[in-house]
Amino acid sequence: MLENLQATAEAWPFLVQGLWVTIQLTVMGSALALVLALILGLMAGASNKALAIPGRIIIEFFRGTSLVVQLFFIFFVLPQFGLELPGMFVGVLALGLNYGAYCAEVVRGSIASVPQGQWEATTALSMSPVHRMRRVIFPQAWALMIPSLASLLVHLLKGTAIVSVILLRDFTFYLDQLTRQTDTFWAYAAVGLVGYFILALILTLFMNALEARAKNRLGRGPSLREILSPTPTNKDALSTAGGGV
């Protein structure tokens, strides 16, 4: 036990360095995935077949092929055609493309889940398609899609572990190095699982905060300030008083 702690302390600067690489991959990969999800989700859900069909094909292609194969193709195959990309860029691109396709389906489904009455109301108000989507439809769809997006982004975080196969020195890469100085259980369980769990917890709390804010803007829940407040709000006090009468 003491030897494991000592070896972990010596390897700590490298573990932090790898953790920082994992965080960068997660943040940039998530940003790219969300941008692609919005574009492809809107394309796939469009009534115009010229947009819907290409969007559907792109989504199914990246959902239907392995992330590892996509990573290998970008890193090892593209250089044979003269396109050599940095390892970090390759990792972000592969994660963004793969998980962006999954997120796009969430976007499409959430937009389709907005009640038909909302669509009809925007038509009655003679809103343009862009104004209708920006002001009425998408804010409601955004609140619906956040829980599913949160799960997919946590999966993206865990998916960053495979970038070590293209020699990118992330958290998993240095955990593997740690196994040479400690036992495997200590490196992967005591250090690795805890590290990824903390990152996933932070990401989940952030997405929960976004969901609370989105619902509050629609008048469907308390604000984030009210949730974090240690004192009850006026609404809570009134409901408590009403329940006691």
Side-chain angles (χ1 to χ4, degrees):
M1 180 66 177
L2 185 59
E3 293 81 1
N4 289 337
L5 289 173
Q6 183 177 356
T8 303
E10 294 175 355
W12 187 250
F14 300 101
L15 291 172
V16 171
Q17 180 181 341
L19 196 63
W20 174 238
V21 172
T22 295
I23 292 172
Q24 291 181 80
L25 286 167
T26 301
V27 172
M28 292 189 288
S30 297
L32 178 59
L34 291 176
V35 170
L36 292 175
L38 291 176
I39 296 173
L40 295 174
L42 291 172
M43 288 177 62
S47 56
N48 188 341
K49 297 298 183 183
L51 292 175
I53 293 176
R56 187 81 263 163
I57 292 173
I58 295 172
I59 290 172
E60 294 304 328
F61 175 80
F62 285 103
R63 288 205 310 170
T65 53
S66 167
L67 175 58
V68 176
V69 173
Q70 295 169 17
L71 195 66
F72 279 9
F73 182 86
I74 298 172
F75 190 75
F76 293 111
V77 177
L78 289 185
Q80 298 182 22
F81 296 94
L83 184 58
E84 189 168 352
L85 302 172
M88 176 64 76
F89 185 86
V90 171
V92 170
L93 183 61
L95 290 167
L97 289 172
N98 188 270
Y99 285 95
Y102 285 97
C103 292
E105 193 61 19
V106 173
V107 172
R108 185 202 61 78
S110 298
I111 291 175
S113 298
V114 174
Q116 186 63 30
Q118 298 293 313
W119 295 85
E120 295 172 353
T122 59
T123 303
L125 293 172
S126 300
M127 287 185 172
S128 67
V130 174
H131 192 215
R132 172 179 63 195
M133 182 61 66
R134 185 173 66 89
R135 300 289 296 176
V136 179
I137 303 302
F138 189 78
Q140 298 180 64
W142 174 241
L144 294 173
M145 69 179 72
I146 291 178
S148 297
L149 290 179
S151 296
L152 287 172
L153 294 184
V154 170
H155 279 289
L156 185 150
L157 163 65
K158 294 183 290 186
T160 61
I162 70 168
V163 300
S164 58
V165 300
I166 60 170
L167 307 180
L168 201 58
R169 299 187 176 187
D170 69 324
F171 189 51
T172 298
F173 176 86
Y174 285 111
L175 284 177
D176 184 62
Q177 300 295 310
L178 184 61
T179 60
R180 303 176 184 180
Q181 302 169 358
T182 65
D183 59 79
T184 303
F185 174 82
W186 173 265
Y188 286 115
V191 181
L193 290 181
V194 172
Y196 279 108
F197 171 74
I198 292 174
L199 290 179
L201 180 61
I202 293 172
L203 181 57
T204 300
L205 292 175
F206 174 73
M207 296 301 291
N208 287 346
L210 283 183
E211 181 183 6
R213 183 174 182 272
K215 288 183 176 179
N216 177 255
R217 295 187 66 178
L218 296 173
R220 298 177 183 173
S223 67
L224 187 60
R225 179 178 297 179
E226 291 172 340
I227 294 175
L228 298 177
S229 175
T231 58
T233 62
N234 293 334
K235 292 181 182 179
D236 294 335
L238 287 174
S239 63
T240 302
V245 174

